[in-house]
Amino acid sequence: GDSVTQMEGPVTLSEEAFLTINCTYTATGYPSLFWYVQYPGEGLQLLLKATKADDKGSNKGFEATYRKETTSFHLEKGSVQVSDSAVYFCALSAVDSSYKLIFGSGTRLLVRP
Amino acid sequence: EAQVTQNPRYLITVTGKKLTVTCSQNMNHEYMSWYRQDPGLGLRQIYYSMNVEVTDKGDVPEGYKVSRKEKRNFPLILESPSPNQTSLYFCASSLSMAALDSGANVLTFGAGSRLTVL
C-alpha cells in the first residue's frame, strides 16, 4: 500500500544552518504531497504542499519539490532559526479508497542559538 | 476564526471507564477524521467521515466508536478504554476528500487531546 518514509531524528542544527529533511514515498497513483509542522503542545499545521510532479511548494523560507522520478519530497531551508524547532511530518493523499492522508513518522528538529 | 476544537485537551482515566472526546469544526467541512499519534509511528487514522451519517474505519479502529449526527461534530468514543489507548489524539477536517486528494483543500487539525489510561 501507499507509504511515506522520513529520515529519523532528532536533527540538531545551529541557527542559520542549512536544513534538509528527507522524505520518500510509495504510491500507486499520483498523490498530492504535503509537509506539516507540529510546534510543541500544538496540532499539526500545513507548511507547504505540491499537487503534481515538478511542483515546488514553499512557505516561510521552506521549500520542497515533488520529484516523481525519485519519489521524493525533501524539505529544505537555507537558514534555520530557533523558532523552527518543531516536529515535521511528510504526508501524501491516498488516491485509492483509503480516504486519508498517510503520514511519515515525523522528524524532530532542534535549532540551537 | 476557522478552527477545529477538541475537548478535553488532557485526560487521565482508568481502564474500563467510558469516555468521549468531542470534536467540532466551524468551517462547514464535509470530511472529518480522527488520528492517533504515537512515538515512532507518526499519525494513524482511526475513523473518518465523508459526511453526515457516513463513517468508516481507518487503520486502527479497534476499541473506538464514532458518530456523525451533525456536520460540525464528530465525537470519538472509547467504550472501555485500555492502557494501549494511551496516546495523543487529533481530530481533523477538510472541505471534502476530493479537495484533499487534489490539494485544493488541506486537512485542518485540532490542538490535540492527550489521553492516559491507567
Side-chain angles (χ1 to χ4, degrees):
Chain A
D2 296 357
S3 66
V4 175
T5 302
Q6 284 181 242
M7 60 187 291
E8 288 197 21
V11 174
T12 303
L13 296 173
S14 297
E15 207 165 22
E16 299 184 2
F18 185 86
L19 168 71
T20 299
I21 299 178
N22 289 338
C23 170
T24 57
Y25 68 90
T26 302
T28 52
Y30 301 96
S32 294
L33 301 175
F34 307 85
W35 276 101
Y36 277 81
V37 59
Q38 183 181 29
Y39 298 104
E42 298 183 13
L44 280 74
Q45 305 171 26
L46 178 71
L47 181 59
L48 52 85
K49 66 179 181 182
T51 59
K52 60 183 187 298
D54 299 324
D55 266 4
K56 177 185 282 188
S58 61
N59 186 25
K60 299 181 181 180
F62 291 90
E63 292 183 340
T65 301
Y66 190 160
R67 301 281 188 206
K68 186 169 176 292
E69 64 276 13
T70 55
T71 61
S72 65
F73 193 54
H74 304 322
L75 182 68
E76 296 182 337
K77 187 175 185 182
S79 176
V80 294
Q81 306 300 312
V82 172
S83 58
D84 293 328
S85 298
V87 181
Y88 293 82
F89 291 92
C90 185
L92 64 82
S93 62
V95 297
D96 56 11
S97 61
S98 302
Y99 302 114
K100 64 187 176 190
L101 289 190
I102 295 173
F103 288 86
S105 57
T107 302
R108 181 175 298 278
L109 170 66
L110 178 61
V111 181
R112 300 192 184 281
Chain B
E1 180 188 352
Q3 60 185 359
V4 177
T5 304
Q6 296 179 227
N7 281 295
R9 292 289 312 280
Y10 303 91
L11 180 63
I12 300 175
T13 189
V14 296
T15 298
K17 186 176 181 182
K18 180 180 177 180
L19 67 92
T20 299
V21 185
T22 64
C23 173
S24 180
Q25 50 91 7
N26 62 0
M27 297 167 281
N28 202 36
H29 283 172
E30 289 183 353
Y31 175 86
M32 297 185 75
S33 182
W34 276 102
Y35 286 83
R36 59 177 289 174
Q37 182 182 9
D38 301 290
L41 297 177
L43 280 80
R44 295 177 292 168
Q45 189 183 56
I46 303 171
Y47 269 94
Y48 66 93
S49 169
M50 301 287 279
N51 213 325
V52 175
E53 301 292 2
V54 182
T55 64
D56 208 345
K57 297 177 181 178
D59 295 320
V60 288
E62 296 78 19
Y64 305 95
K65 285 175 56 177
V66 293
S67 67
R68 187 94 181 271
K69 293 184 170 53
E70 306 165 282
K71 200 170 188 179
R72 64 184 294 126
N73 296 324
F74 190 45
L76 180 69
I77 303 156
L78 286 73
E79 293 272 2
S80 183
S82 62
N84 65 11
Q85 293 178 296
T86 292
S87 187
L88 180 58
Y89 292 88
F90 288 102
C91 181
S93 72
S94 178
L95 188 64
S96 68
M97 191 57 214
L100 189 61
D101 258 349
S102 69
N105 195 244
V106 297
L107 211 52
T108 301
F109 282 82
S113 297
R114 185 168 292 281
L115 171 65
T116 302
V117 183
L118 302 176

